[in-house]
Amino acid sequence: MKALWLDAEWNPRPEYKLNKRERETKRAYRGNQVYFNPKLELREIPKPEPGPGEVLIKVKACGVCGSDVHFYEKEPDGYTMYPGHCKLPVVIGHEWSGVVEEIGAEVRDLAPGDRVCVEEMAWCGVCTPCRAGMPNQCLDLEEIGFTMNGAFAEYVVTQPKYCWKIDGIIEAYGDEEKGFEVGAMVEPCSVAYNGMFVRGGGFQPGGHMAIFGAGPIGLAAVGLARASGAAKIFCFEPIPERRELAKKMGADYVFDPVQLQKEGTDIGEMIMDLTDGVGIAMGVEAAGVSPQTYPIMEETLAIKGKIVQIGMGGERTPVLLVRVQYQGASIHGAVGHSGHDIFPSVIRLMAAKRLDMLPIVTARFPLDQALEAILRTSERRDGKVMVKP
Amino acid sequence: MKALWLDAEWNPRPEYKLNKRERETKRAYRGNQVYFNPKLELREIPKPEPGPGEVLIKVKACGVCGSDVHFYEKEPDGYTMYPGHCKLPVVIGHEWSGVVEEIGAEVRDLAPGDRVCVEEMAWCGVCTPCRAGMPNQCLDLEEIGFTMNGAFAEYVVTQPKYCWKIDGIIEAYGDEEKGFEVGAMVEPCSVAYNGMFVRGGGFQPGGHMAIFGAGPIGLAAVGLARASGAAKIFCFEPIPERRELAKKMGADYVFDPVQLQKEGTDIGEMIMDLTDGVGIAMGVEAAGVSPQTYPIMEETLAIKGKIVQIGMGGERTPVLLVRVQYQGASIHGAVGHSGHDIFPSVIRLMAAKRLDMLPIVTARFPLDQALEAILRTSERRDGKVMVKP
Amino acid sequence: MKALWLDAEWNPRPEYKLNKRERETKRAYRGNQVYFNPKLELREIPKPEPGPGEVLIKVKACGVCGSDVHFYEKEPDGYTMYPGHCKLPVVIGHEWSGVVEEIGAEVRDLAPGDRVCVEEMAWCGVCTPCRAGMPNQCLDLEEIGFTMNGAFAEYVVTQPKYCWKIDGIIEAYGDEEKGFEVGAMVEPCSVAYNGMFVRGGGFQPGGHMAIFGAGPIGLAAVGLARASGAAKIFCFEPIPERRELAKKMGADYVFDPVQLQKEGTDIGEMIMDLTDGVGIAMGVEAAGVSPQTYPIMEETLAIKGKIVQIGMGGERTPVLLVRVQYQGASIHGAVGHSGHDIFPSVIRLMAAKRLDMLPIVTARFPLDQALEAILRTSERRDGKVMVKP
Amino acid sequence: MKALWLDAEWNPRPEYKLNKRERETKRAYRGNQVYFNPKLELREIPKPEPGPGEVLIKVKACGVCGSDVHFYEKEPDGYTMYPGHCKLPVVIGHEWSGVVEEIGAEVRDLAPGDRVCVEEMAWCGVCTPCRAGMPNQCLDLEEIGFTMNGAFAEYVVTQPKYCWKIDGIIEAYGDEEKGFEVGAMVEPCSVAYNGMFVRGGGFQPGGHMAIFGAGPIGLAAVGLARASGAAKIFCFEPIPERRELAKKMGADYVFDPVQLQKEGTDIGEMIMDLTDGVGIAMGVEAAGVSPQTYPIMEETLAIKGKIVQIGMGGERTPVLLVRVQYQGASIHGAVGHSGHDIFPSVIRLMAAKRLDMLPIVTARFPLDQALEAILRTSERRDGKVMVKP
């Protein structure tokens, strides 16, 4: 079968100290410290076969994520730019949906023909965090499209416990094509959902919301804010195409933060004015530039306001804690999308058309042109680029 | 000024034991045990004057509530049917909005011309529950339109701490007339909001919701469910006109429970089918017939599901606790609408047009015909009947 | 090896309708509707062998639970009295600790010599509730000592994901004998913990607490209340020996409810007096007689108070919901003890000696006399009866 | 009457921009930017008289707080060191208890002879945050001992809504002297309680806890952690006398962070070892040196762990948000002690002897020597220094 194959040399930087698990499993926690000279190519590989507890899924749609682009991009010294957990070689692609084609002998809850989307985080289910209901904190995590073969391919083998049926979505859109595309976006929406409603604990309807960054996670956050009772929704994003998408998803105000700064606009003051001095009940950091977004959030936090940290950045962020204190506010860290009823909740929101992500799909490529899809995404002016067989 | 005046004889039933506070204050906890031969009439009374810490408000709209009707209706033996807290004589009317006309010398945060809606619960602010932020549990509660003169009148005097500005609503509707009507419905919406989001603690967006009763509180619950991320919304209501309104407010399924029972439909099974076996994340009891609604809710509670009890009924409700246990579910009791940022949250939802209550206003009467408005409401086929000066 | 073997005839009562899963798996949801003529005997059975993902554990201590007694007791018509989920024949015993003796080839996180206690609920980990972090609501639950062989035996085979190390406890008691006994009580303590802190969501330290029933779960609730900041702790229990144990566990007031009623004491009034009118922040129903305990709890609920329902009873309980409403209170249903970090939290409390359950062990029997241990427990005057090899 | 009188010149630093409220009320938000040349002296002032809604309280004990010392201390350029909200001249002293001596005509809930402690934060009760149950975020806050006359004096006049009866405490200690001292410490304990249980939302019993700083707030946090179910309690404090007090309050491990660093101990690693890799469920920052304590907390946060920020510091703290994210953790800001049932909860914990603060009183002075008490406190080796009439 065809698959988008990523390989690189295992060549840990001299200053990077591999830990025991990394040495044993060859799963690097920080890809860009270990993998040199990454190469991405569409190649023919054997069609996988499901084990007794596994399922074989024919891929119908797979979205391109920023990390797919980072894999491909190189640091000046030739290492991959992807900073996270990975094990190469691997078929990449992790935002996807498809049809169950074959099931292993022990599988009971899925059947051939079932239409599903799939979690990217392959949590173990037996470590202490997993047993505590915290699979996003799994101590023995594998990741589809990062440490296990993913979905820029014709087929993927995985476990039923990562699969969720999307019949409701397909029915709502009245069209399999569209339904699978939307189903492929359950994963990024679930990342936003986890931050806002699980780790962040939600907000009282009628609160104002500010979302920083209008990449796919930020756009999902805008859509979720709209669906779940935010009063006014502010979105900050420098790329014009994405600001347009943010409006479509339901943002009331979209701003280019770079432009505002150029003009000398005091962003905090502006938000306070537009909210009649109330401020924001929740600020979602989905831009990955916390040192720039925190000063705005600190200044505009409503009483009891929450900052939800989803974007990743390696460096320390200077936080004016005294503002968090005076507002009786809090900061909530989030990674992942598994557990907590997140996937089924997002699917139900989509099936009820409370959350419509379809408008953010701005480009589609066949699997044969998966590499072009990655290149296109690297231009960073799309909502979501979709690869389809 | 004109006012709708309710009077009755203080004639405690022989078997009813007045407590100390009732004897001292003549505020009866249970009106129907004390007040005999109620009479309601539009009469001329002196225009009230605000004290130093008070404001005088010119009423612009006042909705008719079920309790206004109960006041008027008599038990067969001549006592008022209203079972709650009251002190007669009193001007009734407690769901209202208006314009500040005059302020007392000590008032700082309101000014003549301010357009406001007003809490019905006149919490003391100094008892232990009030100091704990639980004004709906105030130990020295007065109630506008029940123990203090209300808003089926040209003017009301009250304290600024019960008033909330509604400029945002008026601006959103682009029309003072409509804005004041919507503003007059902040109170009943806040009763639903308190149950669902404060005492009930909300629900994860994407959960299904069942609302029992489509009177104004139930209709507000439907609208709030729609605004805040419910997936499928079920509403049960025997009156056809109200079922239509429930649809307008956003219910996906509306049913006549009486009809369903006649037809032998297993309501619980039906809900479980329509939710693909998931059940309801929240059931809102706004019908006041818990013994009939609990069996349905128990059968259909999703895991972690919540029952929110808003409707009032004097009797014990037989609850199958083992179902609540097996589902890891909970039951949350709610009264009132004050505190917890409720009024401002509802106002912001309305101003952002996330919650549009205007469609439920199905009849309007001038103050001169306030008595007709009460009579009309007693037919129980309207959404909200509005009295306007 | 020796094991306490329970068998009975599969003979469903004519009026009991087996569902599909019951017919397929022979796991009865309601034992007393299906199993006729139960017989309990100590017999020799083959020592089990662990599969590749399993561990063999040598039992060191196993407490007798009320359900063990119910298994043995017969209804007048010859059916077992045990009303719950079971599949016979089975080795009973589910509150236990032991030493890992052998591990399967795939087991990584446990090693021979490890000292552990074990969850009774063998949750599947893949159904929707399990994936949502709600293993106590597992749709495909097996139960050790009910549907799988339990721990009134020399050895048990189970999965590592149900095991938790108790080294901390053994170290704290400085004695393996005592440590294993305490470890065998992690399970019942976890049932109380789940109700109070997970499903019930805990209480603000300094609240008063009332616990109904001083069986092992109730005694654990008293100990947990004491450990976690209850101000005054009330315990109601008709059996004098258990009242004494409740005092040892930290109850400030212990009462015989039967005696109080005989004397005509108004229990609600008494609690309100003893709490200076504040009432109870949490009431724990661990007596299984909700129709008798709810009137007391309703009368004494503090504002925002919680009722935690742990005791099981088949019938509907008449609840005065209006009291729950006026107090802004709530009712929380609970079953089970798995997930949510419960076992490790209880183990840490025990290891830190914040919770000392040892005093409630009032009788000890060798495995040879396991039947006598059951008989002794049926006298219902002990705290916990312990069976040891 | 005698009173400890603080005066200074109103002389705003040229670079400090007074806002409108500061100009109008002469209440400076940042004392050290405005008040020059502070002078503290015991002087004779008129005994105050209660207004109609007020009470006159005879002071029985008043603790010295760090801010009292800061008032007295001068920056090199002659401004007061106290950085917060104040209005001079004022009688300082805000951690106190006393006996009601006289009540105004409108006061109902207090009577002469009542023994009370008093909130320091004189919240208005009518601003939006107050109405939302968030008095610690009051927009029109006055503070006893900062902007209104305080309790290093024979008498104080205040409002009943800030007073809480302490009969339970006095009864528990069997001694008025001790009871009033303990009662005077309800305020600092409430600051810790607000952070840990209200803004921080508490922790599941059995979690480990780390407290940074063993001043009175930190010591209260240790005592509260001990009372409410922490497993292991770590306390970090450089002053040896305070480390001893932390042990008395219930800390299991006390460390001198300065010494540890000198020795090259990796504090994070040490905590992880001592908690068997679990980490801390809650870290309490009560040292006011966040840039030093956050790295330790970040490294040791348990999954779902919380950082509670109580200590104040003007500067930004560099936070490694990615750690907060990976642990699914959160940071909670806290100021104040009012509302949320905090004072009565702390009083009940003290009356039940779950929290015993008496051991931290290490010095006592008569009112005549109040200045000496301040000086003594400035040596920073005491627990709590108490001034008594």
Side-chain angles (χ1 to χ4, degrees):
Chain A
M1 67 169 193
K2 273 176 292 186
L4 192 59
W5 185 259
L6 176 71
D7 203 355
E9 296 165 38
W10 175 268
N11 188 6
R13 289 169 189 270
E15 68 277 18
Y16 185 67
K17 216 176 104 191
L18 294 169
N19 70 17
K20 187 159 167 288
R21 212 193 82 175
E22 285 177 305
R23 284 192 309 267
E24 284 173 10
T25 64
K26 295 275 168 169
R27 301 205 303 257
Y29 277 110
R30 299 184 58 193
N32 62 0
Q33 302 301 306
V34 169
Y35 283 112
F36 180 70
N37 199 19
K39 279 180 196 156
L40 195 57
E41 59 170 337
L42 197 75
R43 67 154 73 171
E44 197 67 25
I45 61 167
K47 182 176 164 184
E49 283 178 30
E54 293 177 331
V55 290
L56 176 75
I57 300 174
K58 187 168 171 54
V59 178
K60 300 297 284 185
C62 183
V64 183
C65 172
S67 34
D68 297 316
V69 176
H70 283 135
F71 266 138
Y72 178 81
E73 292 172 335
K74 285 182 209 175
E75 301 278 359
D77 64 359
Y79 281 83
T80 176
M81 283 190 76
Y82 178 67
H85 185 220
C86 59
K87 180 183 182 178
L88 307 189
V90 78
V91 177
I92 65 173
H94 61 270
E95 302 181 356
W96 62 292
S97 60
V99 179
V100 175
E101 181 149 315
E102 200 185 321
I103 64 170
E106 294 166 7
V107 171
R108 288 184 322 172
D109 295 334
L110 283 178
D114 281 349
R115 299 164 308 179
V116 298
C117 65
V118 185
E119 298 174 35
E120 174 261 353
M121 305 191 82
W123 40 277
C124 75
V126 301
C127 70
T128 298
C130 276
R131 291 197 269 177
M134 299 289 283
N136 297 315
Q137 276 67 42
C138 175
L139 298 177
D140 193 25
L141 191 69
E142 296 260 6
E143 297 184 66
I144 296 174
F146 294 87
T147 71
M148 308 165 90
N149 283 343
F152 293 131
E154 290 175 74
Y155 294 95
V156 176
V157 158
T158 188
Q159 292 181 45
K161 72 179 176 179
Y162 309 129
C163 299
W164 298 94
K165 292 185 193 170
I166 57 170
D167 300 285
I169 294 175
I170 291 169
E171 200 176 307
Y173 282 87
D175 177 317
E176 277 219 339
E177 283 297 304
K178 288 177 187 163
F180 281 119
E181 290 188 8
V182 171
M185 289 184 286
V186 172
E187 195 264 0
C189 290
S190 293
V191 170
Y193 188 105
N194 177 51
M196 293 164 70
F197 301 109
V198 177
R199 299 262 52 82
F203 60 96
Q204 284 199 182
H208 302 301
M209 180 92 57
I211 288 130
F212 296 85
I217 306 291
L219 290 169
V222 171
L224 287 166
R226 187 68 181 83
S228 60
K232 292 185 179 175
I233 302 172
F234 300 86
C235 183
F236 295 87
E237 165 62 50
I239 299 171
E241 291 89 343
R242 292 185 166 176
R243 285 202 301 276
E244 280 311 302
L245 293 171
K247 270 192 209 166
K248 278 195 194 161
M249 293 304 300
D252 299 288
Y253 300 89
V254 295
F255 295 107
D256 176 354
V258 178
Q259 183 62 22
L260 289 176
Q261 274 171 327
K262 267 190 206 153
E263 292 167 2
T265 305
D266 181 325
I267 299 178
E269 211 171 90
M270 180 189 76
I271 294 178
M272 292 312 285
D273 278 355
L274 288 169
T275 61
D276 301 311
V278 169
I280 55 172
M282 187 176 274
V284 178
E285 215 305 329
V289 293
S290 305
Q292 281 129 69
T293 55
Y294 270 60
I296 301 170
M297 292 195 280
E298 290 156 9
E299 212 182 320
T300 58
L301 276 171
I303 283 164
K304 269 177 121 166
K306 297 174 178 184
I307 293 176
V308 171
Q309 180 68 30
I310 301 176
M312 307 289 274
E315 303 306 307
R316 289 185 174 273
T317 298
V319 180
L320 195 57
L321 293 167
V322 75
R323 274 293 299 164
V324 180
Q325 292 175 266
Y326 273 116
Q327 295 304 89
S330 50
I331 301 172
H332 302 262
V335 289
H337 53 249
S338 290
H340 310 281
D341 222 32
I342 298 171
F343 258 60
S345 295
V346 169
I347 290 169
R348 287 191 296 262
L349 279 172
M350 287 172 163
K353 287 283 187 89
R354 307 311 196 213
L355 175 68
D356 179 12
M357 295 298 291
L358 198 57
I360 83 159
V361 182
T362 48
R364 293 164 176 88
F365 291 83
L367 178 56
D368 279 342
Q369 296 175 27
L371 213 51
E372 285 79 357
I374 306 281
L375 284 170
R376 164 77 181 240
T377 306
S378 71
E379 297 171 16
R380 285 177 176 76
R381 57 192 166 81
D382 283 287
K384 180 56 69 182
V385 174
M386 202 58 71
V387 173
K388 306 176 72 171
Chain B
M1 67 169 192
K2 275 177 289 187
L4 192 60
W5 185 259
L6 176 71
D7 203 354
E9 296 165 38
W10 175 269
N11 188 5
R13 290 167 188 272
E15 68 275 18
Y16 184 70
K17 214 175 106 191
L18 294 168
N19 69 18
K20 186 159 169 287
R21 211 193 83 174
E22 285 175 305
R23 285 192 309 268
E24 285 174 7
T25 65
K26 295 276 168 169
R27 302 205 302 258
Y29 279 109
R30 299 183 59 193
N32 62 0
Q33 302 301 308
V34 169
Y35 284 111
F36 181 70
N37 199 17
K39 279 180 198 157
L40 196 57
E41 59 170 336
L42 198 73
R43 67 154 75 169
E44 197 69 24
I45 62 168
K47 181 176 165 184
E49 283 179 31
E54 293 176 331
V55 290
L56 175 75
I57 300 174
K58 185 169 173 55
V59 179
K60 301 296 285 185
C62 182
V64 182
C65 172
S67 35
D68 297 317
V69 176
H70 283 134
F71 267 138
Y72 178 82
E73 293 172 334
K74 285 183 208 173
E75 301 279 0
D77 64 359
Y79 281 83
T80 176
M81 284 191 76
Y82 178 68
H85 185 219
C86 59
K87 179 182 183 178
L88 307 188
V90 78
V91 177
I92 65 172
H94 61 272
E95 303 180 356
W96 62 293
S97 60
V99 179
V100 175
E101 182 149 315
E102 201 185 321
I103 64 171
E106 294 166 7
V107 172
R108 288 185 320 174
D109 295 335
L110 283 178
D114 281 348
R115 299 160 313 178
V116 297
C117 65
V118 185
E119 299 175 35
E120 174 261 353
M121 305 190 82
W123 40 277
C124 75
V126 302
C127 70
T128 298
C130 276
R131 290 198 270 176
M134 300 288 284
N136 297 314
Q137 276 67 41
C138 175
L139 298 177
D140 193 25
L141 192 69
E142 297 261 4
E143 296 184 66
I144 296 174
F146 295 86
T147 70
M148 309 164 89
N149 283 343
F152 292 131
E154 291 176 73
Y155 294 95
V156 177
V157 158
T158 189
Q159 291 180 46
K161 71 180 177 179
Y162 309 129
C163 299
W164 298 94
K165 291 186 192 171
I166 57 170
D167 301 284
I169 294 175
I170 291 168
E171 199 177 310
Y173 282 87
D175 177 316
E176 278 218 339
E177 282 297 303
K178 289 178 186 163
F180 281 119
E181 290 188 8
V182 171
M185 290 184 284
V186 171
E187 195 266 359
C189 291
S190 294
V191 171
Y193 189 105
N194 178 48
M196 294 165 70
F197 301 110
V198 176
R199 300 264 50 82
F203 60 97
Q204 284 200 181
H208 302 303
M209 180 93 56
I211 288 130
F212 296 86
I217 307 289
L219 290 169
V222 170
L224 286 167
R226 187 68 180 84
S228 60
K232 292 185 178 173
I233 302 171
F234 301 86
C235 183
F236 296 87
E237 165 63 50
I239 298 171
E241 290 89 343
R242 291 184 168 179
R243 285 202 300 278
E244 281 311 302
L245 293 172
K247 270 193 210 164
K248 278 195 194 159
M249 292 305 299
D252 299 287
Y253 301 89
V254 295
F255 296 107
D256 176 353
V258 178
Q259 182 62 22
L260 289 175
Q261 273 171 328
K262 266 191 207 154
E263 293 168 3
T265 304
D266 181 325
I267 299 179
E269 212 171 87
M270 181 188 73
I271 294 177
M272 292 313 283
D273 279 357
L274 288 169
T275 60
D276 301 311
V278 168
I280 55 171
M282 187 177 274
V284 178
E285 217 306 329
V289 292
S290 304
Q292 282 129 71
T293 55
Y294 271 59
I296 301 171
M297 291 194 281
E298 289 156 10
E299 213 182 319
T300 57
L301 274 172
I303 284 165
K304 271 176 119 164
K306 297 174 177 181
I307 293 176
V308 171
Q309 181 68 31
I310 301 176
M312 307 291 272
E315 301 307 305
R316 289 184 174 273
T317 298
V319 180
L320 196 58
L321 292 168
V322 76
R323 276 293 300 166
V324 181
Q325 293 175 266
Y326 273 117
Q327 295 305 89
S330 51
I331 301 171
H332 302 261
V335 290
H337 53 249
S338 290
H340 310 281
D341 220 31
I342 298 172
F343 259 61
S345 296
V346 169
I347 291 169
R348 286 192 296 262
L349 280 171
M350 289 172 161
K353 287 282 186 89
R354 308 312 197 210
L355 175 69
D356 178 11
M357 295 298 291
L358 197 57
I360 82 160
V361 182
T362 48
R364 292 164 175 88
F365 291 83
L367 178 56
D368 278 342
Q369 298 175 26
L371 213 49
E372 285 79 357
I374 307 280
L375 284 171
R376 163 78 181 238
T377 305
S378 71
E379 298 170 17
R380 287 177 174 75
R381 55 190 168 84
D382 282 288
K384 180 57 71 184
V385 174
M386 201 58 72
V387 173
K388 305 174 75 171
Chain C
M1 67 170 192
K2 274 178 290 191
L4 192 60
W5 186 258
L6 175 71
D7 204 354
E9 297 164 39
W10 175 269
N11 188 4
R13 290 169 188 270
E15 70 277 16
Y16 185 69
K17 213 176 106 190
L18 294 168
N19 69 18
K20 187 161 168 284
R21 210 192 84 176
E22 285 177 305
R23 284 193 308 269
E24 285 174 8
T25 64
K26 296 274 169 173
R27 303 205 303 257
Y29 278 110
R30 299 186 56 195
N32 61 1
Q33 301 301 308
V34 169
Y35 284 111
F36 180 71
N37 199 18
K39 278 179 196 158
L40 195 58
E41 61 170 334
L42 198 74
R43 67 153 75 169
E44 197 68 23
I45 62 167
K47 180 176 165 184
E49 283 179 31
E54 294 178 331
V55 291
L56 175 76
I57 300 174
K58 188 170 170 53
V59 179
K60 301 296 285 184
C62 183
V64 182
C65 171
S67 34
D68 297 316
V69 176
H70 282 136
F71 266 136
Y72 177 80
E73 293 172 335
K74 285 184 212 173
E75 300 281 358
D77 65 0
Y79 281 83
T80 175
M81 284 191 75
Y82 177 68
H85 186 220
C86 60
K87 180 183 182 178
L88 309 187
V90 78
V91 177
I92 65 172
H94 60 270
E95 302 180 356
W96 62 293
S97 60
V99 179
V100 175
E101 180 148 317
E102 202 184 320
I103 65 171
E106 294 166 6
V107 171
R108 288 186 322 176
D109 294 335
L110 284 178
D114 280 350
R115 300 163 308 183
V116 297
C117 64
V118 185
E119 298 175 35
E120 175 261 351
M121 306 190 83
W123 39 277
C124 75
V126 301
C127 70
T128 298
C130 276
R131 291 197 269 175
M134 299 289 284
N136 296 314
Q137 276 67 40
C138 176
L139 298 178
D140 193 25
L141 192 68
E142 297 259 5
E143 297 184 66
I144 296 174
F146 294 86
T147 71
M148 308 164 89
N149 283 342
F152 292 130
E154 290 175 76
Y155 294 94
V156 177
V157 157
T158 189
Q159 291 180 45
K161 72 179 177 180
Y162 309 129
C163 299
W164 297 94
K165 293 186 192 171
I166 56 169
D167 301 285
I169 295 174
I170 291 169
E171 201 177 306
Y173 282 88
D175 176 318
E176 276 218 341
E177 281 299 302
K178 289 177 187 163
F180 281 118
E181 289 188 9
V182 171
M185 289 184 286
V186 172
E187 196 265 359
C189 290
S190 292
V191 170
Y193 189 105
N194 177 49
M196 295 164 70
F197 301 110
V198 177
R199 300 263 50 84
F203 60 96
Q204 284 199 180
H208 302 302
M209 181 92 57
I211 288 131
F212 297 85
I217 307 289
L219 291 169
V222 171
L224 286 166
R226 187 69 180 84
S228 60
K232 291 185 179 175
I233 302 171
F234 300 86
C235 185
F236 295 87
E237 165 64 49
I239 299 171
E241 291 90 341
R242 291 183 167 179
R243 285 202 301 277
E244 281 311 304
L245 292 172
K247 268 192 210 164
K248 277 194 194 162
M249 291 305 300
D252 299 288
Y253 300 89
V254 296
F255 295 107
D256 177 353
V258 178
Q259 183 61 22
L260 289 176
Q261 273 171 328
K262 266 192 208 154
E263 292 168 2
T265 304
D266 181 326
I267 299 178
E269 210 172 89
M270 180 189 76
I271 294 177
M272 293 312 285
D273 279 355
L274 289 168
T275 60
D276 301 310
V278 168
I280 55 171
M282 188 176 274
V284 179
E285 216 305 330
V289 293
S290 305
Q292 282 129 71
T293 55
Y294 270 59
I296 301 171
M297 290 195 281
E298 289 156 9
E299 212 182 322
T300 57
L301 274 171
I303 283 165
K304 272 176 117 167
K306 297 174 178 182
I307 294 177
V308 171
Q309 181 66 32
I310 301 175
M312 306 290 272
E315 301 308 307
R316 287 185 175 274
T317 298
V319 180
L320 196 57
L321 292 168
V322 76
R323 274 295 297 167
V324 179
Q325 292 174 266
Y326 274 117
Q327 295 304 90
S330 52
I331 302 172
H332 301 262
V335 290
H337 54 249
S338 290
H340 310 281
D341 222 33
I342 299 172
F343 258 62
S345 295
V346 169
I347 290 169
R348 287 192 294 263
L349 280 171
M350 288 172 161
K353 288 280 186 92
R354 306 311 196 215
L355 175 68
D356 179 11
M357 295 298 292
L358 198 57
I360 83 159
V361 182
T362 48
R364 292 166 177 88
F365 290 84
L367 179 56
D368 280 341
Q369 296 175 28
L371 214 49
E372 284 81 355
I374 307 281
L375 284 171
R376 164 75 180 240
T377 305
S378 71
E379 297 171 17
R380 287 175 174 75
R381 56 191 166 82
D382 282 288
K384 181 56 70 183
V385 174
M386 203 56 73
V387 174
K388 306 175 73 171
Chain D
M1 67 171 191
K2 274 177 292 185
L4 192 59
W5 185 259
L6 175 71
D7 204 353
E9 297 163 38
W10 175 269
N11 188 5
R13 289 169 189 269
E15 69 276 18
Y16 185 69
K17 213 176 104 190
L18 294 168
N19 69 18
K20 186 160 168 287
R21 210 191 85 176
E22 286 177 303
R23 285 191 309 267
E24 285 174 9
T25 64
K26 295 276 168 170
R27 303 206 301 259
Y29 278 109
R30 300 184 57 193
N32 62 0
Q33 302 302 307
V34 170
Y35 284 111
F36 181 71
N37 199 17
K39 278 180 198 157
L40 195 56
E41 60 170 335
L42 198 74
R43 67 153 75 170
E44 197 68 25
I45 62 168
K47 181 175 164 185
E49 282 179 31
E54 293 177 329
V55 290
L56 175 76
I57 300 174
K58 186 169 172 55
V59 179
K60 301 296 285 187
C62 183
V64 182
C65 172
S67 34
D68 297 317
V69 175
H70 282 134
F71 266 137
Y72 177 81
E73 293 172 334
K74 283 183 210 174
E75 300 279 358
D77 64 359
Y79 281 83
T80 175
M81 283 190 78
Y82 177 67
H85 186 217
C86 59
K87 180 181 182 179
L88 308 188
V90 78
V91 176
I92 66 172
H94 61 271
E95 304 179 355
W96 62 292
S97 61
V99 180
V100 175
E101 182 149 315
E102 202 184 321
I103 65 171
E106 294 166 7
V107 171
R108 288 186 320 176
D109 296 334
L110 284 177
D114 281 347
R115 299 162 308 180
V116 298
C117 63
V118 185
E119 299 175 35
E120 174 261 353
M121 304 190 84
W123 40 277
C124 74
V126 301
C127 69
T128 298
C130 276
R131 291 197 271 175
M134 300 288 284
N136 296 314
Q137 276 68 39
C138 175
L139 298 177
D140 193 25
L141 191 69
E142 297 259 6
E143 297 183 67
I144 297 174
F146 294 85
T147 71
M148 308 165 88
N149 283 343
F152 293 130
E154 289 176 76
Y155 294 95
V156 177
V157 159
T158 189
Q159 291 180 45
K161 71 179 177 180
Y162 309 128
C163 299
W164 298 94
K165 293 186 192 171
I166 57 170
D167 301 284
I169 294 174
I170 291 168
E171 200 176 308
Y173 283 87
D175 177 316
E176 277 219 340
E177 283 296 304
K178 288 177 187 164
F180 280 118
E181 290 188 8
V182 170
M185 287 184 287
V186 171
E187 195 265 0
C189 291
S190 293
V191 170
Y193 188 104
N194 177 49
M196 294 165 71
F197 301 110
V198 177
R199 300 263 50 83
F203 60 96
Q204 284 198 182
H208 302 302
M209 181 90 58
I211 288 129
F212 296 85
I217 306 289
L219 290 169
V222 170
L224 287 167
R226 186 68 181 83
S228 60
K232 292 184 179 175
I233 301 171
F234 300 86
C235 184
F236 295 87
E237 166 62 51
I239 298 170
E241 290 90 342
R242 291 183 166 178
R243 284 202 302 277
E244 280 312 302
L245 292 173
K247 270 194 210 165
K248 277 195 194 161
M249 292 305 300
D252 299 287
Y253 300 89
V254 296
F255 296 106
D256 176 353
V258 178
Q259 182 63 23
L260 289 175
Q261 274 172 325
K262 265 191 208 155
E263 293 167 3
T265 304
D266 181 326
I267 298 178
E269 210 171 89
M270 180 188 77
I271 294 177
M272 292 312 285
D273 279 356
L274 288 169
T275 61
D276 301 310
V278 168
I280 55 171
M282 188 176 273
V284 179
E285 215 306 329
V289 291
S290 304
Q292 281 130 73
T293 55
Y294 270 59
I296 301 171
M297 291 195 279
E298 289 157 8
E299 213 182 321
T300 58
L301 274 172
I303 283 165
K304 272 176 118 166
K306 296 173 178 182
I307 294 176
V308 171
Q309 181 68 31
I310 302 176
M312 306 291 272
E315 301 307 308
R316 290 185 173 272
T317 298
V319 179
L320 196 58
L321 292 167
V322 75
R323 276 293 300 166
V324 179
Q325 293 175 264
Y326 273 117
Q327 295 305 88
S330 51
I331 302 172
H332 302 261
V335 290
H337 53 248
S338 289
H340 310 282
D341 221 32
I342 298 172
F343 258 62
S345 296
V346 168
I347 290 169
R348 288 192 295 263
L349 280 171
M350 288 171 161
K353 287 282 186 89
R354 306 312 196 212
L355 175 68
D356 179 11
M357 295 298 292
L358 198 57
I360 82 160
V361 182
T362 48
R364 293 164 176 88
F365 291 83
L367 179 56
D368 280 342
Q369 297 174 28
L371 213 50
E372 284 79 357
I374 307 280
L375 284 170
R376 165 75 181 241
T377 305
S378 72
E379 298 171 16
R380 287 178 174 73
R381 56 191 169 80
D382 283 286
K384 179 58 67 184
V385 174
M386 202 57 74
V387 172
K388 306 174 73 171

